[in-house]
Amino acid sequence: MALTISGLSKTYPNGVKALQNVSLTIGNNMFGLLGPNGAGKSTLMRTVATLQAPDAGSVSLDGLDVLSNKTEVRKLLGYLPQEFGVYPKVSALDMLHHLAVMKGITKKSERNEIVDALLNQTNLWDVRKKSLGTYSGGMKQRFGIAQALLGKPKLIIVDEPTAGLDPAERNRFLNLLSSIGRDVIVILSTHIVEDVRELCPRMAIIANGKVLLEGSPTESLGALRGKIWSKVVASDDELKALETNLQVISTHLIAGQHEVRVFSDADPGDGFKPSESELEDVYFLSLSRHAKN
Ligand code: ADP
């Protein structure tokens, strides 16, 4: 399977250019779409999910024109939107049966098999009869994946699924996503760098509706190897001085002290130590290079 996005643009009536000539090629396996809030990720996800029309551009799924074949595409699509509402009084079991019927799985025995398997896969079997309103954030998101997987989709879109999950729930959720399989396309949109690092063999970074980088996290990390330096700074003044003289990527507070990371081809001296490149460096550098242009 391959999803080809070509020259997508979208300007909202208020003048916001949410997508500006976005092109991406996405193959099987997990693809990370990483960008800050407001980058245009949801706009792109909704467009690919056939819920919103762009002003220009095309999307093709293995040669099928996505924008003009909505019904066909929806049969191949599993979607977990950013704002995933659930009916609070309905149980997961009943809701999945209802949605399965809507997806055309009308034979009771077949439906039982599919729904039970999904409840097991998403670790919701024990709570399947509880109403969705009583679920924790992580349980709701796992239910969201269960409903997205109904009908064996070939293209699965999950929009910012880990925002708001506690570390244990997030871990469980990411493990679930990674188990979905290699012969489907999974697009994971997120502003959390770690989500992409842990799961995605390929990724794109977007900001202001533009693709800043497309590639593999490993290659992007390799390109920065030997060029990342870090040091703990003693004062705000020192930090300010560094910011004027060096390309500062990020500062982190560690036990109340600022650790600063810089990008430099050569050793900046002055107490800096070489540091392993991290995906966060790739992300922040892409964003700051874009902001300067
Ligand atoms: P992300 O998912 O990366 O946070 P969005 O696609 O939601 O980004 O938003 C991209 C930009 O478009 C933002 O500036 C947002 O405020 C704006 N936007 C999104 N939806 C609408 C809309 N329906 N009307 C006007 N502006 C919108």
Side-chain angles (χ1 to χ4, degrees):
M1 280 258 141
L3 182 77
T4 312
I5 297 168
S6 310
L8 275 194
S9 293
K10 173 76 181 179
T11 302
Y12 285 111
N14 59 1
V16 172
K17 291 185 170 147
L19 297 176
Q20 304 190 59
N21 198 20
V22 168
S23 298
L24 289 171
T25 306
I26 301 176
N28 276 345
N29 218 327
M30 192 86 61
F31 186 91
L33 183 70
L34 181 62
N37 288 330
K41 302 183 297 296
S42 291
T43 303
L44 182 58
M45 298 299 90
R46 285 197 301 266
T47 308
V48 174
T50 76
L51 300 172
Q52 184 176 323
D55 300 331
S58 64
V59 183
S60 135
L61 182 64
D62 269 357
L64 177 69
D65 179 354
V66 167
L67 303 175
S68 61
N69 292 284
K70 290 184 189 160
T71 315
E72 257 176 272
V73 171
R74 283 175 195 172
K75 284 185 196 146
L76 302 169
L77 175 77
Y79 180 43
L80 175 57
Q82 193 171 0
E83 301 289 329
F84 180 60
V86 291
Y87 292 93
K89 296 211 169 116
V90 183
S91 73
L93 182 68
D94 290 346
M95 195 67 207
L96 281 179
H97 272 280
H98 170 72
L99 293 169
V101 172
M102 309 277 282
K103 283 244 172 181
I105 310 165
T106 45
K107 217 170 125 203
K108 186 82 195 280
S109 57
E110 185 193 358
R111 204 167 63 236
N112 278 336
E113 214 170 286
I114 291 170
V115 166
D116 288 0
L118 283 173
L119 286 166
N120 276 310
Q121 188 184 353
T122 53
N123 235 320
L124 292 171
W125 178 257
D126 292 345
V127 290
R128 68 193 181 283
K129 290 180 183 161
K130 290 200 169 151
S131 55
L132 292 167
T134 65
Y135 276 21
S136 69
M139 288 153 81
K140 272 184 198 145
Q141 289 301 69
R142 279 185 277 134
F143 174 77
I145 286 294
Q147 64 80 31
L149 288 176
L150 274 170
K152 290 213 168 67
K154 290 287 175 203
L155 168 63
I156 297 168
I157 295 176
V158 282
D159 196 357
E160 300 258 4
T162 59
L165 298 190
D166 72 34
E169 281 178 333
R170 175 176 164 274
N171 211 11
R172 202 174 297 142
F173 186 83
L174 293 183
N175 280 329
L176 170 61
L177 272 190
S178 78
S179 75
I180 285 177
R182 293 179 184 278
D183 56 343
V184 292
I185 301 173
V186 182
I187 307 178
L188 166 69
S189 133
T190 182
H191 63 270
I192 301 169
V193 178
E194 292 292 291
D195 287 354
V196 174
R197 188 178 64 75
E198 288 174 31
L199 284 182
C200 304
R202 298 209 46 93
M203 66 162 188
I205 296 176
I206 76 164
N208 290 330
K210 291 183 184 156
V211 177
L212 311 184
L213 181 150
E214 182 181 4
S216 85
T218 315
E219 278 167 22
S220 311
L221 284 174
L224 295 186
R225 195 160 300 134
K227 298 177 179 179
I228 306 294
W229 309 83
S230 70
K231 140 185 203 182
V232 173
V233 293
S235 66
D236 287 354
D237 286 345
E238 187 186 356
L239 180 59
K240 269 192 203 122
L242 287 177
E243 277 168 342
T244 36
N245 298 322
L246 289 167
Q247 191 172 352
V248 172
I249 302 171
S250 60
T251 59
H252 292 278
L253 275 171
I254 297 177
Q257 290 194 295
H258 290 291
E259 189 211 49
V260 55
R261 294 174 73 77
V262 304
F263 173 82
S264 172
D265 285 327
D267 184 349
D270 203 16
F272 274 98
K273 297 247 158 34
S275 191
E276 280 289 316
S277 53
E278 292 169 7
L279 199 56
E280 204 177 68
D281 300 325
V282 174
Y283 180 54
F284 285 140
L285 266 178
S286 298
L287 293 183
S288 72
R289 284 172 182 164
H290 169 67
K292 282 196 192 115
N293 284 330

